[in-house]
Amino acid sequence: MKLSISTKVFLVVQTLCLFVVLGMGFAAHWSFRHGFLGFLNEQAIIRLESTLPAVERAYAEHGSWTFIKKDRVEWFKILGSTAFLTDEERPLGPGEPSTSDLTGAHMRFTLLDAQHRIVIGYTGFDRDRAALRPVRVNHQTVGWLAMTPFQNVSATGDRRFQTNQARSSLVIAGLCLLLSGLIAWRIARTLLRPVRQMAQATHQVATGDYGIRVKVHSKDEIGQLAQDFNRMAHALESNENMRRHFMADISHELRTPLAVLRGELEALEDGVRPLSLDAIRSLQSEVSALNKLVDDIFALSLAEVGAQAYRKEPVRLDIVLQSVTDTFQARCRQHDLTLTLDLPSEDLWITGDESRLQQLFSNLLENSCHYTNAGGRIVISVKLMPGNITISFADSSPGVPEEQLPRLFERFYRIEQSRNRVTGGAGLGLAICRGIVEAHGGTIQSSPSELGGLCVTLYFPQTPRMTE
């Protein structure tokens, strides 16, 4: 039979309480048996010593023990108790027993003569265990008064007291078990309710429902677990949405060049367009665009799983920047753009992969060339800060709305306004740039440019100055 966690907790708490109650009951019973019997024996010894003067006076009056032999009435009169006499034996008739008689101590008293022979009293006298007190008259020992200790509760009043105690203990034990059951049930319901909710939510997540969330009821470990679960579910939901968008974007980006290639080939096949050098160049252009898209997707996927190979070594960052800038000067002039590089006088050393850094700077310049209006400016400025190197790529208008700046480095994300040109790429360039920067231990940020366009800022950890 499959038990729920609530049932298990209830059974564990209730079983623990049951063992505690049983242990306390056994301990109380043992303590009562031994403690109560000890109390009875102590009271009997006190009663024995208080009775001794009366026995001595009786002997002094009669001069021997003959007067008391087999005279039960006289014996109890000396002991000062009539509780154990019949109504006919009592001189004063029926009456209530005294408090001292309720212990039953008188019934265990035995009178012995000087030679330790029984005169009258308790016939079960045990010489080895009995407490003896000498009976002295005129400084001579004329007999012994003995009390045989209690081995169990025998008197009616004592048995009644023991029975009442046992009954009270059973009632208390039952109430304790009932109370512990209510507490265990409450704990099982209240404490484990969030756990059950998270178990149900986890099952829904396992079936693909990433929109499920659990309520946070407390700030303890269970509350922290609920918060972590919600964050995990949110991350899974975001990743699932990104995966769907990624597949949709890939399908869209691949469909366009493939559709152009198919149309061009069908036109050539049908004779609509002659097979010329221009047609071949057009096909080659679409194949190049398709090949670049596939390469970018492959590079981005490797970067995201951390599988992209980096061969890191000391690199002069200023030399790499200068080389890439010189390469783009001619292209910027074709687009009527001014490209400026502002380098500090110090050598800029970092530990990185030179080819990946060239790819990074080329992608950023490519992005600025695509999205900067003719007659505009592109300014690359480098600053040497304590512990890091800051590189900013700033261009002139058009700009990017501030609410869209945080999304520029997402894959396939492109601005739907003036910076989205037909000449633009698939929206993977900046995502690849982010992967390269992070692989070098740096960070990348976007912000509005003072020139009116976009400013992309890179932060690289600086390597101590090295000799070439």
Side-chain angles (χ1 to χ4, degrees):
M1 182 176 61
K2 185 177 179 181
L3 298 178
S4 65
I5 188 172
S6 300
T7 304
K8 292 178 181 179
V9 170
F10 174 81
L11 292 178
V12 167
V13 175
Q14 190 69 350
T15 302
L16 177 61
C17 293
L18 176 62
F19 278 109
V20 171
V21 169
L22 290 178
M24 292 179 63
F26 176 78
H29 178 71
W30 183 89
S31 176
F32 172 79
R33 289 293 302 272
H34 291 75
F36 187 56
L37 287 175
F39 168 76
L40 293 178
N41 288 325
E42 289 178 1
Q43 294 298 315
I45 294 295
I46 294 173
R47 194 63 176 155
L48 176 69
E49 294 176 348
S50 65
T51 305
L52 192 58
V55 176
E56 291 175 344
R57 287 194 301 269
Y59 183 88
E61 290 177 3
H62 296 86
S64 69
W65 298 117
T66 307
F67 77 97
I68 203 173
K69 282 185 177 182
K70 297 182 181 181
D71 191 344
R72 189 166 173 264
V73 176
E74 188 65 26
W75 168 242
F76 282 109
K77 287 174 61 178
I78 293 174
L79 296 180
S81 174
T82 61
F84 303 101
L85 300 177
T86 63
D87 292 344
E88 292 78 13
E89 292 174 333
R90 288 195 184 97
L92 300 178
E96 292 295 329
S98 64
T99 304
S100 61
D101 291 335
L102 293 177
T103 62
H106 292 74
M107 296 297 293
R108 305 185 72 84
F109 286 178
T110 305
L111 180 62
L112 308 174
D113 61 13
Q115 288 74 35
H116 291 86
R117 291 174 297 198
I118 298 177
V119 177
I120 195 171
Y122 180 57
T123 57
F125 167 68
D126 188 343
R127 297 180 183 274
D128 296 330
R129 296 185 299 106
L132 296 174
R133 296 293 184 271
V135 180
R136 295 180 182 276
V137 177
N138 297 326
H139 305 290
Q140 291 184 356
T141 301
V142 296
W144 301 85
L145 189 60
M147 195 281 296
T148 302
F150 290 96
Q151 294 298 306
N152 50 48
V153 178
S154 57
T156 302
D158 301 336
R159 286 197 299 269
R160 185 183 302 114
F161 178 73
Q162 184 183 32
T163 302
N164 291 336
Q165 289 296 314
R167 186 181 297 112
S168 300
S169 298
L170 289 176
V171 172
I172 293 173
L175 291 176
C176 289
L177 289 177
L178 178 61
L179 181 60
S180 65
L182 293 175
I183 294 175
W185 176 78
R186 183 64 178 176
I187 290 176
R189 282 182 56 86
T190 304
L191 186 62
L192 298 179
R193 183 184 296 116
V195 177
R196 290 196 301 270
Q197 292 177 352
M198 280 186 287
Q200 295 172 357
T202 303
H203 178 72
Q204 290 183 256
V205 169
T207 60
D209 182 8
Y210 303 121
I212 188 66
R213 299 292 185 272
V214 295
K215 294 182 179 180
V216 180
H217 298 282
S218 62
K219 296 183 180 180
D220 55 10
E221 290 82 355
I222 295 180
Q224 183 63 43
L225 180 62
Q227 293 179 0
D228 293 340
F229 175 87
N230 290 336
R231 283 194 288 266
M232 180 194 70
H234 176 72
L236 290 174
E237 185 179 25
S238 299
N239 290 338
E240 177 63 16
N241 292 333
M242 291 176 63
R243 184 189 67 82
R244 292 175 181 176
H245 293 158
F246 180 67
M247 297 302 297
D249 291 336
I250 287 179
S251 301
H252 175 74
E253 295 297 335
L254 291 177
R255 187 183 296 114
T256 300
L258 288 175
V260 174
L261 284 173
R262 181 178 180 179
E264 292 280 353
L265 291 173
E266 288 179 352
L268 291 174
E269 185 180 16
D270 295 339
V272 176
R273 184 174 182 179
L275 181 59
S276 62
L277 186 60
D278 291 338
I280 295 175
R281 286 198 187 104
S282 177
L283 292 174
Q284 184 64 35
S285 175
E286 295 300 328
V287 170
S288 298
L290 185 60
N291 185 66
K292 184 178 184 306
L293 176 60
V294 173
D295 289 343
D296 287 346
I297 293 174
F298 181 68
L300 182 61
S301 63
L302 289 180
E304 290 186 346
V305 300
Q308 195 167 21
Y310 283 85
R311 185 178 179 182
K312 294 185 179 180
E313 56 186 4
V315 178
R316 281 277 302 274
L317 201 59
D318 51 332
I319 294 179
V320 176
L321 275 170
Q322 187 66 62
S323 174
V324 174
T325 302
D326 293 342
T327 303
F328 271 81
Q329 285 290 357
R331 185 170 179 179
C332 287
R333 285 194 293 270
Q334 290 178 358
H335 290 78
D336 192 18
L337 299 174
T338 302
L339 176 58
T340 306
L341 175 62
D342 183 13
L343 290 172
S345 57
E346 296 91 344
D347 297 339
L348 306 177
W349 289 95
I350 70 167
T351 300
D353 188 322
E354 184 173 349
S355 62
R356 299 296 182 189
L357 292 172
Q358 290 177 346
Q359 180 185 7
L360 166 66
F361 300 144
S362 297
N363 283 353
L364 292 175
L365 283 175
E366 185 82 24
N367 188 73
S368 294
C369 289
H370 278 313
Y371 298 118
T372 304
N373 292 332
R377 298 171 56 196
I378 302 174
V379 178
I380 306 174
S381 58
V382 182
K383 296 180 180 179
L384 188 60
M385 308 296 290
N388 64 68
I389 301 172
T390 303
I391 307 173
S392 61
F393 288 73
D395 56 40
S396 55
S397 59
V400 177
E402 290 193 17
E403 65 273 9
Q404 297 185 8
L405 288 175
R407 301 194 59 190
L408 287 181
F409 302 104
E410 296 179 8
R411 54 193 179 190
F412 292 110
Y413 184 79
R414 291 179 296 186
I415 306 299
E416 296 299 333
Q417 297 178 5
S418 59
R419 291 184 71 94
N420 183 16
R421 298 280 184 83
V422 177
T423 56
L428 296 176
L430 291 180
I432 295 174
C433 290
R434 182 184 62 181
I436 295 174
V437 171
E438 292 177 351
H440 284 80
T443 57
I444 184 171
Q445 296 177 354
S446 60
S447 60
S449 169
E450 295 180 355
L451 303 177
L454 176 67
C455 178
V456 178
T457 306
L458 314 176
Y459 301 92
F460 288 105
Q462 184 183 13
T463 300
R465 184 182 181 88
M466 304 182 66
T467 57
E468 298 184 68

